Amino acid sequence: MGEDSDEFKPEGEEEREVSEKAAYDRSEMLSLLQQYYRGEMSQSATFLGRLDLTVDWAIAVVTAILALSFESRGSYLLLIGMVALSMFLIFDVRRYRMYDAYRARVRLIEENVLANAFDPEGVPLTNWREEIANDLKHPTYKVSYIETLARRLKRIYLPLLVLLGLAWLFRITIFVPDETWNETAAIPGIPGEIVVSIVGVFYVVLFVLTFWPRERKAKGEFHGKASDTWKEAD
């Protein structure tokens, strides 16, 4: 019995290079782009949903801490809230960088394919196909960790942390008139003066990270600046 010439052989060169035809065929490329764009949009939406979930949990934790901290002795619950919110911030930064990586690919297609289809004035990035191919082979973050941290602090987490900080100051001063501030601020094993110093340094670092003047590296966004190269993280 002869070998079936139509049998699919995944190890064959033609089968391994099955998508090569799309690189040279306009209709094949447009069909592939359509499916690819949908996939990138889906991934971007997934990570955006995870970001929203992290923020929702952070707000819920702050609300619970504020409700409980004034019903218990000591101010340690507000300190725990600051630590918990900082952990949420760390998770959020990682998720945002993942979201931004997928969003950047989506924007690259929108800017160089869809926009040019609606108004054919030429593509802003002439080697956009090569850029996408290289990023699919070697994915990279497109925005630096420090810039992402500052952005998420400024937009979401710094106001929440400032709210906890103000509540903590009120809790250790005016709320307990029969105790001194250092007595109320103290936690088991750590004097109040040291606790206040640590919290003060923590907030100074937060404000420096948030408002320290730095050049914005992220491009291709509403507040970014135009560039003829695709953005890449430091």
Side-chain angles (χ1 to χ4, degrees), residues 120-180:
E121 294 184 347
V123 295
L125 189 61
T126 56
N127 62 333
W128 63 269
R129 290 177 59 174
E130 181 182 351
E131 292 282 5
I132 290 182
N134 289 335
D135 198 62
L136 289 174
K137 295 174 184 177
H138 309 288
T140 59
Y141 291 124
K142 308 303 182 301
V143 61
S144 67
Y145 190 94
I146 294 298
E147 183 176 350
T148 307
L149 183 65
R151 187 183 307 181
R152 300 307 284 173
L153 274 170
K154 183 180 296 184
R155 294 182 178 180
I156 298 170
Y157 289 91
L158 185 62
L160 295 177
L161 285 165
V162 168
L163 178 62
L164 285 180
L166 293 175
W168 178 75
L169 286 176
F170 178 77
R171 180 68 177 76
I172 68 174
T173 54
I174 302 175
F175 189 75
V176 188
D178 55 336
E179 291 183 4
T180 61

Side-chain angles (χ1 to χ4, degrees), residues 52-115:
D52 292 340
L53 183 62
T54 304
V55 174
D56 290 343
W57 273 104
I59 294 174
V61 167
V62 170
T63 303
I65 291 295
L66 290 175
L68 296 174
S69 60
F70 291 93
E71 297 181 1
S72 61
R73 293 187 58 84
S75 59
Y76 61 91
L77 279 179
L78 289 166
L79 298 177
I80 292 175
M82 296 175 192
V83 174
L85 209 56
S86 300
M87 294 178 64
F88 279 120
L89 173 61
I90 294 173
F91 298 150
D92 187 275
V93 167
R94 181 181 180 276
R95 289 180 174 181
Y96 184 89
R97 296 184 80 195
M98 291 292 293
Y99 157 73
D100 181 77
Y102 286 103
R103 185 205 57 79
R105 293 178 189 163
V106 170
R107 285 293 302 128
L108 196 66
I109 296 173
E110 291 174 344
E111 187 178 15
N112 293 278
V113 180
L114 300 182

Side-chain angles (χ1 to χ4, degrees), residues 17-33 129:
E17 303 294 340
V18 65
S19 61
E20 183 178 1
K21 180 182 178 182
Y24 305 100
D25 188 292
R26 178 177 298 179
S27 60
E28 291 278 351
M29 172 56 69
L30 291 176
S31 178
L32 180 63
L33 272 175
R129 290 177 59 174

Side-chain angles (χ1 to χ4, degrees), residues 8-21:
F8 179 76
K9 299 178 181 179
E11 72 279 2
E13 181 178 355
E14 183 177 352
E15 283 76 7
R16 285 187 281 109
E17 303 294 340
V18 65
S19 61
E20 183 178 1
K21 180 182 178 182

